[in-house]
C-alpha cells in the first residue's frame, strides 16, 4: 500500500513547466468544429442554410448511411465563382456581416463564416458551383489536412457540395455517432421544421438512393402542414394569430393531442428554427390546466420580431436566441394561444389572459375574442412589425429535442353542450359514469370530472370570499425538505384563501394551524406534502395565478370522488349539474380527459354495422 501511495503521489512541481504555443491550424479547426458539427444533421443544417442565403428555391439532400458516409446538398441558388468558393472555406469568411453593430439585425441564416471551415476540418469535401454569368464552374476538393484542389467544372447554376466520411480523422468523435436510422431521424426532423418554416421552398431527401421526403412548393400552409405532420394530426390543429408588438402565427393541437416533451413543438423566430424555453413555457402556460404537467402540444409556432429585438448570436449552431424584451414575447405568445383555445370546441367560454411583468408567468386575465375555425394563418415569414422601446435582455435556455416521443392520446370529442341533459345509465369499474343522449354514447371519468368542478370552485372562492378553514387546537408539525418549507412559507398568503394556515417552523418543518374544512377526514400531513411538492415544481418564475392553480389543483385532486368510490344516482346528478358551471369541462386541472363521447354511428362502426 505504501508503495502504491508513493507511486501515485503528485510531485511537488512539474518536471517540465508547460509552454504556451499556438495550436496547429488543423487542430484549432477540429476543436472549433466540435461547436458547429456534432453529427450529420449539423452538416445538413449548416449547408442548407447556406443554400437559403444563396436564394435557393429547390434544395436536394442526398444521404448515405444516415449521412455518416455521404451528405450531399444540391441547390439552385446564386452559385459561387472560384475566388469566392476558396474564401468560403476560410474561417470567419462571410458575405453577410461587416460590423459588430449588425449582429442585432441579422436577416440571414448564416453569418459566422465557420460552417465550411469546420466541416472541411473533419471530412472530405467536394464543392462544385457556377454563377449565372459564368460559362464554366469551379470544383474544389479537399479534406482534413489536405489542401483544397481547384479545377474547372461543367455544372448547372447553383451549388453542389458533398461531405464524405464525416470525422474520418477524428475517430473519438466518429464512435459517438448513432445508427443510420437515428442520424436520419435527426436530419428529417430538421427538414420537417424547415418545410413548415418555408412553404415556398421545394425540399427533397434521398437516403441510400431512396426518396424519403418530398415537399413541393406550396404557399398554402394548411396543405404544407398536412404534408409534414400527416392529415390525421393536422386535422386536430387550430390556427392562432397575434399582431401587437410581435407577430405570432401558428397551428397548435387540441388539448387532447400532446406529448411528453417539446420535440413535436416546432418553434420559429424570424423564420429560424430554434429551441427556446421562453417560448415553450409561454405555450404551456397558455394551455394552463388543459395540459397535464410535463406535457406539450404539437404544432408550429412562429414569432416575427422587429429589427434589433432578438440576438441570434448566442450559440455556435444558432439554435438558441435571446430576446431583448422577453416579457413582451411571452405576452404575445400567451395572448395568441389563449385566443386560439377560446375558439375550440373544448372551451364553453372565451379564455381570458393577461401577462405578468416577469417572463414565463401568467397572473391575471382579460377577455379575448374567439378566432374563427376556418381562419387560416398567414405565412411564417418575417414581415415588418412596428418597433418598440427596449429593456434589459433576458437569457433563454437551450432545450434539446427528445430522441423518443411518446404516442399521443386518442382523440377526445368536444364535451356535451349540456351535462344535466345526459341520461345516466350507470357506473362501471367504480370509476366511470355511463351516460347517453339521443345521438351519442358518453363516458365520464368521475374523479376527473369532480376534480375539475372542485378546482374551479376553489380558484373562484380563493379570489372572492375565501374557503372555509378547520382550525386545529394543536398545530401539527410536518417535516419537509428546506426547498419545500421555503415554497410553503413564500406562498402563505396565497394559501390562506384556500383554507390553509401554514408557517415555517425552522428550515426543515412547517407548522399547520388550519386546513381546508373539506379535508377534515383526510391525512393533513399527506395533503401538505403534496401541496409543497406541487409548489416546489412551480419554479422561481411562477406567477400568482400559476401558484394558486397548482395549489387548487392539488387540493381538488385529494378532495374529489376517487376511482373505487361508489356513487349513488343522486351524487351523479349533482355532479352533472355542477359540470354545467364549468367552462373547461372536457379536461381535469392536470390535463387528463374528463369525458369521452362517440356518436351512435361511430359505435355502430365498432361492431361492423353500416
Amino acid at each position: 500500500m505504501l508503495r502504491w501511495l508513493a507511486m501515485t503521489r503528485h510531485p511537488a512541481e512539474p518536471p517540465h513547466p508547460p509552454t504556451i504555443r499556438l495550436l496547429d491550424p488543423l487542430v484549432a479547426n477540429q476543436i472549433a468544429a466540435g461547436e458547429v458539427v456534432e453529427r450529420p444533421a449539423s452538416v445538413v443544417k449548416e449547408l442548407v442554410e447556406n443554400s437559403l442565403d444563396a436564394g435557393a428555391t429547390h434544395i436536394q439532400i442526398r444521404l448515405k448511411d444516415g449521412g455518416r458516409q455521404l451528405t450531399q446538398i444540391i441547390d439552385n441558388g446564386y452559385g459561387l465563382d472560384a475566388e469566392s468558393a476558396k474564401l468560403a472555406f476560410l474561417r470567419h469568411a462571410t458575405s453577410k456581416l461587416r460590423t459588430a453593430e449588425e449582429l442585432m439585425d441579422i436577416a440571414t441564416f448564416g453569418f459566422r463564416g465557420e460552417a465550411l471551415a469546420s466541416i472541411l476540418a473533419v471530412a472530405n469535401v467536394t464543392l462544385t458551383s457556377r454563377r449565372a454569368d459564368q460559362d464554366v464552374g469551379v470544383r474544389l476538393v479537399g479534406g482534413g489536412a489536405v489542401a483544397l484542389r481547384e479545377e474547372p467544372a461543367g455544372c448547372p447554376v447553383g451549388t453542389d457540395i458533398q461531405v464524405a466520411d464525416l470525422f474520418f480523422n477524428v475517430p473519438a468523435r466518429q464512435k459517438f455517432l448513432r445508427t443510420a436510422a437515428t442520424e436520419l431521424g435527426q436530419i428529417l426532423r430538421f427538414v420537417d421544421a424547415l418545410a413548415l418554416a418555408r412553404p415556398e421552398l421545394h425540399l427533397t431527401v434521398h437516403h441510400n438512393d431512396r426518396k424519403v421526403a418530398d415537399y413541393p412548393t406550396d404557399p398554402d400552409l394548411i396543405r404544407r402542414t398536412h404534408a409534414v405532420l400527416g392529415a390525421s394530426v393536422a386535422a386536430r390543429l387550430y390556427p392562432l394569430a397575434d399582431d401587437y408588438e410581435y407577430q405570432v402565427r401558428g397551428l397548435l393541437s387540441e388539448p387532447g393531442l400532446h406529448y411528453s416533451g417539446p420535440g413535436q413543438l416546432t418553434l420559429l423566430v424570424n423564420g429560424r428554427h430554434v429551441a427556446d424555453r421562453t417560448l415553450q413555457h409561454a405555450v404551456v402556460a397558455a394551455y394552463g390546466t388543459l395540459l397535464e404537467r410535463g406535457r406539450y402540444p404539437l404544432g408550429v409556432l412562429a414569432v416575427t420580431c422587429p429589427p434589433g429585438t432578438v440576438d441570434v448570436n448566442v450559440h455556435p449552431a444558432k439554435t438558441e436566441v435571446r430576446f431583448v424584451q422577453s416579457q413582451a414575447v411571452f405576452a404575445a405568445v400567451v395572448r395568441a394561444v389563449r385566443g386560439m383555445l377560446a375558439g375550440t370546441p373544448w372551451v364553453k367560454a372565451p379564455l381570458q389572459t393577461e401577462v405578468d411583468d416577469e417572463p414565463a408567468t401568467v397572473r391575471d386575465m382579460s377577455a379575448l375574442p374567439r378566432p374563427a375555425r376556418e381562419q387560416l394563418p398567414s405565412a411564417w415569414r418575417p414581415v415588418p412589425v412596428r418597433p418598440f422601446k427596449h429593456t434589459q435582455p433576458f437569457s433563454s435556455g437551450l432545450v434539446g429535442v427528445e430522441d423518443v416521443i411518446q404516442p399521443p392520446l386518442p382523440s377526445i370529442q368536444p364535451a356535451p353542450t349540456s351535462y344535466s341533459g345526459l341520461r345516466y345509465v350507470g357506473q362501471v369499474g367504480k370509476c366511470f359514469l355511463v351516460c347517453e343522449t339521443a345521438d351519442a354514447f358518453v363516458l365520464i371519468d368521475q374523479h376527473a370530472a369532480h376534480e375539475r368542478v372542485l378546482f374551479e370552485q376553489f380558484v373562484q372562492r380563493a379570489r372572492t370570499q375565501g374557503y372555509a378553514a378547520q382550525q386545529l387546537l394543536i398545530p401539527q408539525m410536518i417535516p419537509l425538505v428546506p426547498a419545500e418549507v421555503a415554497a410553503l412559507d413564500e406562498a402563505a398568503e396565497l394559501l390562506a384563501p384556500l383554507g390553509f394556515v401554514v408557517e415555517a417552523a425552522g428550515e426543515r418543518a412547517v407548522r399547520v394551524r388550519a386546513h381546508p374544512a373539506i379535508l377534515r377526514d383526510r391525512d393533513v400531513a399527506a395533503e401538505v406534502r403534496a401541496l409543497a411538492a406541487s409548489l416546489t415544481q412551480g419554479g422561481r418564475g411562477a406567477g400568482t395565478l400559476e401558484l394558486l392553480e397548482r395549489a387548487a389543483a392539488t387540493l381538488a385532486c385529494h378532495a374529489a370522488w376517487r376511482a373505487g368510490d361508489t356513487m349513488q344516482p343522486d351524487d351523479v346528478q349533482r355532479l352533472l349539474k355542477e359540470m354545467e358551471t364549468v367552462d373547461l369541462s372536457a379536461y381535469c386541472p392536470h390535463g387528463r380527459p374528463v369525458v369521452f363521447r362517440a356518436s351512435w354511428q361511430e359505435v355502430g362502426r365498432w361492431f361492423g354495422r353500416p
Side-chain angles (χ1 to χ4, degrees):
M1 176 63 73
L2 292 176
R3 181 182 179 186
W4 179 82
L5 288 173
M7 292 175 61
T8 57
R9 185 181 297 130
H10 294 288
E13 59 181 43
H16 301 291
T19 302
I20 296 176
R21 61 174 64 87
L22 288 174
L23 281 174
D24 179 270
L26 175 61
V27 176
N29 283 344
Q30 288 177 340
I31 294 172
E35 299 179 341
V36 179
V37 183
E38 298 180 71
R39 59 198 318 167
S42 307
V43 175
V44 171
K45 176 183 181 295
E46 296 293 343
L47 297 182
V48 166
E49 289 182 350
N50 281 345
S51 296
L52 293 175
D53 289 338
T57 59
H58 184 192
I59 300 176
Q60 302 177 57
I61 303 171
R62 295 184 174 274
L63 309 163
K64 289 186 179 180
D65 193 26
R68 300 181 304 180
Q69 181 180 343
L70 177 68
T71 295
Q72 182 179 16
I73 308 296
I74 306 171
D75 69 51
N76 64 345
Y78 305 136
L80 297 166
D81 57 31
E83 190 62 29
S84 297
K86 287 184 290 187
L87 281 174
F89 283 97
L90 298 180
R91 185 165 298 280
H92 307 311
T94 177
S95 62
K96 302 146 192 174
L97 193 65
R98 290 291 181 270
T99 64
E101 288 73 18
E102 295 177 278
L103 284 172
M104 288 300 295
D105 192 17
I106 293 174
T108 56
F109 285 93
F111 57 89
R112 291 171 175 266
E114 295 178 318
L116 289 180
S118 297
I119 293 170
L120 183 65
V122 293
N124 291 313
V125 179
T126 301
L127 179 143
T128 305
S129 187
R130 180 171 74 88
R131 297 182 64 93
D133 57 356
Q134 296 179 322
D135 296 328
V136 178
V138 61
R139 177 175 291 117
L140 299 177
V141 181
V146 179
L148 286 170
R149 184 178 73 254
E150 177 186 349
E151 60 186 38
C155 58
V157 174
T159 300
D160 178 341
I161 183 167
Q162 300 180 35
V163 178
D165 308 318
L166 186 62
F167 300 134
F168 75 97
N169 55 351
V170 193
R173 296 279 305 281
Q174 193 176 53
K175 69 180 181 181
F176 282 101
L177 294 179
R178 304 292 185 87
T179 65
T182 299
E183 298 299 343
L184 176 62
Q186 293 290 329
I187 293 170
L188 291 178
R189 187 167 296 174
F190 164 75
V191 172
D192 287 350
L194 181 61
L196 291 170
R198 301 291 294 268
E200 79 286 358
L201 187 66
H202 185 184
L203 282 165
T204 58
V205 182
H206 288 79
H207 183 244
N208 294 339
D209 298 324
R210 182 174 65 88
K211 184 183 290 186
V212 294
D214 188 3
Y215 300 126
T217 299
D218 193 340
D220 188 317
L221 294 178
I222 299 297
R223 286 199 299 265
R224 174 55 70 90
T225 304
H226 277 243
V228 175
L229 301 179
S232 61
V233 170
R236 300 170 66 182
L237 305 182
Y238 286 77
L240 58 92
D242 187 86
D243 288 298
Y244 291 89
E245 294 174 326
Y246 293 84
Q247 183 193 76
V248 182
R249 293 287 187 270
L251 286 164
L252 293 179
S253 61
E254 65 187 45
L257 181 59
H258 51 78
Y259 292 80
S260 62
Q264 297 296 304
L265 178 60
T266 300
L267 302 174
L268 308 171
V269 175
N270 288 356
R272 185 189 302 274
H273 181 215
V274 300
D276 183 81
R277 280 184 175 173
T278 296
L279 299 181
Q280 290 170 353
H281 195 142
V283 171
V284 172
Y287 274 79
T289 58
L290 291 175
L291 279 181
E292 185 177 355
R293 191 173 303 158
R295 309 294 291 187
Y296 293 80
L298 175 147
V300 55
L301 180 80
V303 179
T304 300
C305 303
T309 64
V310 60
D311 183 4
V312 299
N313 188 36
V314 294
H315 190 274
K318 305 179 291 294
T319 55
E320 182 182 356
V321 296
R322 180 185 292 117
F323 298 106
V324 171
Q325 201 170 46
S326 57
Q327 301 97 324
V329 176
F330 186 88
V333 172
V334 170
R335 190 164 47 231
V337 176
R338 289 260 172 162
M340 175 274 290
L341 290 171
T344 68
W346 289 267
V347 181
K348 293 197 291 187
L351 285 169
Q352 300 178 345
T353 187
E354 181 181 299
V355 180
D356 207 348
D357 295 331
E358 297 180 6
T361 304
V362 179
R363 182 174 58 190
D364 210 349
M365 302 186 265
S366 61
L368 280 176
R370 293 171 180 263
R373 178 64 184 93
E374 293 76 16
Q375 175 188 359
L376 299 183
S378 62
W380 317 132
R381 296 295 302 282
V383 299
V385 182
R386 68 175 184 268
F388 55 93
K389 293 182 180 180
H390 304 166
T391 60
Q392 71 278 8
F394 175 77
S395 177
S396 58
L398 176 65
V399 177
V401 178
E402 293 185 337
D403 287 333
V404 180
I405 300 296
Q406 295 184 7
L409 296 175
S411 177
I412 305 297
Q413 293 192 18
T417 55
S418 173
Y419 281 92
S420 59
L422 297 175
R423 189 178 81 83
Y424 174 58
V425 177
Q427 183 189 39
V428 293
K430 289 189 176 181
C431 183
F432 303 104
L433 309 178
V434 180
C435 304
E436 68 173 354
T437 66
D439 59 356
F441 161 78
V442 180
L443 192 64
I444 298 173
D445 184 319
Q446 66 188 41
H447 174 73
H450 197 207
E451 188 180 8
R452 169 53 75 175
V453 169
L454 292 177
F455 170 78
E456 297 281 354
Q457 292 175 354
F458 291 158
V459 171
Q460 182 61 31
R461 293 192 66 170
R463 291 174 173 173
T464 54
Q465 73 267 34
Y467 214 79
Q470 175 72 47
Q471 299 294 327
L472 299 178
L473 293 177
I474 303 176
Q476 184 172 354
M477 298 287 289
I478 302 175
L480 298 170
V481 299
E484 293 175 333
V485 173
L488 285 173
D489 191 48
E490 290 176 3
E493 293 184 6
L494 175 70
L495 298 177
L498 290 173
F500 278 105
V501 178
V502 182
E503 59 187 24
E507 296 182 352
R508 296 183 176 274
V510 294
R511 183 181 296 108
V512 180
R513 298 187 178 276
H515 61 77
I518 197 171
L519 296 179
R520 61 170 54 91
D521 298 326
R522 305 286 189 182
D523 181 355
V524 175
E527 307 299 331
V528 171
R529 291 191 188 97
L531 185 60
S534 176
L535 293 175
T536 303
Q537 292 174 14
R540 299 175 65 182
T544 304
L545 177 60
E546 185 176 348
L547 290 175
L548 174 63
E549 288 185 345
R550 285 181 184 274
T554 300
L555 182 59
C557 180
H558 290 264
W561 289 98
R562 298 182 179 180
D565 291 343
T566 300
M567 295 186 68
Q568 300 301 322
D570 289 346
D571 299 325
V572 175
Q573 293 301 330
R574 190 180 306 111
L575 176 60
L576 294 178
K577 185 176 180 180
E578 290 176 328
M579 289 291 286
E580 291 285 352
T581 66
V582 178
D583 291 332
L584 306 177
S585 58
Y587 293 88
C588 83
H590 297 102
R592 291 185 292 271
V594 166
V595 58
F596 174 81
R597 180 181 180 275
S599 66
W600 289 122
Q601 290 84 352
E602 184 177 356
V603 173
R605 286 196 295 271
W606 298 348
F607 294 93
R609 290 181 175 273

